[in-house]
Amino acid sequence: MSPLDVSRVQRRTLSLLFMTQVVGGSGVAMGIAVGALLAAAMGGAGVSGLAASASVVGGALLAVPATRLIRSRGRRPGLVFAYACGVCGALVVVTAAAIGSVALLFVGMALFGGGSAANLQARYAAADLSGPDRRARHLSLIVWATTLGSVAGPNLAPLADRYAHRSGLPTYTGPFVISAVAFTVVALVIAAALRPDPLLVAREVGRDAVPAGSAAGPDAGPVAGPDAAPAAGPDAGLVAGPDAAPAAGLREAARAVRAVPAARLGVSAVAVGHLVMVGVMSMTPVHIGGYVHGDVLRVVGVVLSLHIGGMYALSPLVGWLTDRLGRRQVILGGLATLLVACAVAGTAGHHTPRLGLGLGLLGVGWSGTMIAGSTLLSESVGTVVRPAVQGLSDLVMGLSGAFAGAMSGLVVSWSGYPTLTLLAAIATVPLIALALRSVPALAISEGSRECG
């Protein structure tokens, strides 16, 4: 395939992924917005937080079979599978509400996490055919598309619930019906239109046969480009298509990450950034409820809107900076922003504007570690093991977020919100040390050959 054909496929892929992310993102946000309310209505306030945790854990676990499909058959089957799980999950939630089964509700929320898993995997599909000078921008564009869906979803939830209630469905189930429709539409569009598959094209043309690691680049360093790949690179001999690729599971992915320092940094950046963000964000509504008397939901909505804006609205700028300044530099910048966010939010007390600023900065810091870490990870390993490594990263990220969400409640009940932000800041220290270490190019190259 000529460079012109590859560029045409990449433009088509980006346009398709952008549109499907908007629709899929609205489906995810709609369900998450009412999941806790539905759980509280069915089982009491004590189990309301478990609905979100079930969705996070489910999304992390479903990333494993999804990436198994991706590495063997391409991006399209894996994304369709994940969205199909989301459809099943939404329908199970509606059924659980109809029969009053809390246990079945959690099963449904876990399957519903497939929608989140698909949204996360889509960012990697955007980078399969990107050149090294545009990879982060293309990845961040798909992350940014989630903003539109995340804003539209919760605002459509009340309307969807009213229409569903008129149809005889239980309260809070309407948004899940719409989510099921959204996921179905996205799955059908991807199945029909994501052709040719970007990952299979990347394997065919041998793009990125040599991972990142040149000591001359700003990251010690960025990818030299597909044209600079020697014939003996980690993917050499595997350009005939997916049938020529050896199986690469989570065990091989873990070995790849251990062998390649840049991959370790990418996985760690995504996981730690997510852990800090989820830990602080999940307890912010509880903190606000402790001092606001009156319209608590309005105040929570404003603060969390600032947080979501920080997460997604600036992602194109973060992607541009990642390509311009380097992956490692933006990871460090994201970590610095997370530290400032923890300091601002932790010392805000009952001052809501200061708390909103802290949560906005928390979102920006997450965006830096997510986009730069994901980009660095994608270019640090060969195309054969790459889907498995990306799945492993999403699994670790999801479990880190679930752990942070579960522990944050215990920390706040034990010692308060300021202690939570302090512990979140301390959690970034090992990653800062890892990001400041130099990464020898030889270690990356040799590690990639071992895993490819």
Side-chain angles (χ1 to χ4, degrees), residues 184-225:
T184 300
V185 170
V186 171
L188 292 175
V189 170
I190 289 176
L194 192 60
R195 300 171 184 269
D197 191 291
L199 179 61
L200 301 187
V201 173
R203 289 176 179 171
E204 179 185 345
V205 302
R207 184 174 286 266
D208 293 343
V210 173
S214 171
D219 290 303
V223 178

Side-chain angles (χ1 to χ4, degrees), residues 324-340:
R324 183 78 173 178
L325 302 178
R327 288 50 162 147
R328 186 182 309 274
Q329 283 77 359
V330 174
I331 289 173
L332 286 169
L335 289 171
T337 307
L338 288 174
L339 288 174
V340 173

Side-chain angles (χ1 to χ4, degrees), residues 86-159:
V87 173
C88 294
L91 297 179
V92 169
V93 167
V94 175
T95 303
I99 65 176
S101 173
V102 176
L104 188 61
L105 171 68
F106 293 142
V107 172
M109 289 302 298
L111 288 171
F112 186 80
S116 298
N119 277 8
L120 289 171
Q121 281 292 318
R123 76 191 192 276
Y124 290 126
D128 283 331
L129 294 173
S130 299
D133 58 333
R134 293 178 179 268
R135 184 172 291 119
R137 273 172 283 183
H138 288 173
L139 189 150
S140 67
L141 178 66
I142 304 307
V143 173
W144 181 74
T146 309
T147 307
L148 302 178
S150 297
V151 171
N155 287 294
L156 292 174
L159 180 63

Side-chain angles (χ1 to χ4, degrees), residues 190-382:
I190 289 176
L194 192 60
R195 300 171 184 269
D197 191 291
L199 179 61
L200 301 187
V201 173
R203 289 176 179 171
E204 179 185 345
V205 302
R207 184 174 286 266
D208 293 343
V210 173
S214 171
D219 290 303
V223 178
D227 297 332
D235 291 330
L238 300 175
V239 296
D243 295 336
L250 287 180
R251 184 176 301 175
E252 290 79 8
R255 188 165 66 246
V257 172
R258 286 196 302 268
V260 184
R264 291 201 300 269
L265 176 58
V267 171
S268 301
V270 171
V272 172
H274 198 63
L275 180 144
V276 172
M277 184 275 291
V278 172
V280 175
M281 180 272 296
S282 61
M283 284 296 106
T284 298
V286 176
H287 174 64
I288 292 173
Y291 70 85
V292 171
H293 303 287
D295 196 356
V296 177
L297 289 180
R298 184 185 64 82
V299 177
V300 169
V302 171
V303 172
L304 292 188
S305 293
L306 292 172
H307 173 64
I308 293 173
M311 289 175 66
Y312 298 118
L314 297 180
S315 54
L317 175 61
V318 174
W320 180 81
L321 290 173
T322 301
D323 285 331
R324 183 78 173 178
L325 302 178
R327 288 50 162 147
R328 186 182 309 274
Q329 283 77 359
V330 174
I331 289 173
L332 286 169
L335 289 171
T337 307
L338 288 174
L339 288 174
V340 173
C342 290
V344 172
T347 57
H350 296 174
H351 193 256
T352 300
R354 184 181 177 93
L355 183 63
L357 174 62
L359 267 290
L361 290 173
L362 187 73
V364 174
W366 175 89
S367 182
T369 56
M370 168 65 76
I371 291 172
S374 298
T375 304
L376 180 61
L377 175 66
S378 294
E379 64 193 15
S380 297
V381 295

